[in-house]
Amino acid sequence: MSKKKNSFSGIMYSTNPDFKMQEEESTPVQSDKKQNLRVWLERKGGGKVVTVVKGYMGNPQTLEEIGKMLKTKCGTGGAVKDYEILIQGDNRDKVLKLLAEAGYYAKKAGG
């Protein structure tokens, strides 16, 4: 993943040897399987079509595993970055079916 979401804000260094970082209070993350994922079709540089899965908010490791599973079962390349899964080509229907079989809630979005 190219950008990690850091829950610590502001402090980069402390000279206090007893200082302990405290995580900010945040809203609880939905269960991985009950998230509202959206499957988009976008054109990236050069006019190439890419299927994009957006809306995942959870463990980055799980997102990587989902991306790997989708790339393998679609038989194509892709990437996982910025909390999005990119799959080469127009694979929206196949991705929707695979996500549903894995227990995720996903639907088509965009134009």
Side-chain angles (χ1 to χ4, degrees):
M1 310 223 16
S2 62
K3 291 185 182 178
K4 290 186 178 182
K5 301 216 178 195
N6 190 349
S7 62
F8 303 119
S9 62
I11 298 175
M12 297 193 54
Y13 179 78
S14 174
T15 57
N16 182 355
D18 298 325
F19 181 77
K20 295 209 173 153
M21 207 52 123
Q22 295 178 351
E23 292 193 34
E24 296 177 5
E25 291 291 322
S26 61
T27 58
V29 176
Q30 295 177 352
S31 168
D32 281 346
K33 301 277 184 176
K34 296 190 182 209
Q35 297 189 42
N36 292 321
L37 302 178
R38 300 290 184 253
V39 180
W40 298 72
L41 188 64
E42 293 183 359
R43 292 199 183 275
K44 296 291 180 181
K48 295 183 179 181
V49 177
V50 177
T51 302
V52 182
V53 180
K54 298 180 181 181
Y56 182 84
M57 299 182 64
N59 184 353
Q61 183 66 30
T62 305
L63 183 64
E64 292 280 347
E65 291 169 6
I66 296 168
K68 184 175 180 179
M69 180 267 301
L70 292 175
K71 290 188 293 185
T72 302
K73 295 207 176 183
C74 288
T76 185
V80 176
K81 57 182 168 180
D82 299 331
Y83 281 85
E84 295 180 349
I85 300 172
L86 307 169
I87 305 293
Q88 294 176 352
D90 184 358
N91 290 300
R92 286 178 294 179
D93 295 328
K94 197 169 193 177
V95 167
L96 284 168
K97 180 182 173 201
L98 291 170
L99 288 171
E101 287 174 357
Y104 291 93
Y105 174 75
K107 68 179 191 176
K108 281 187 184 179

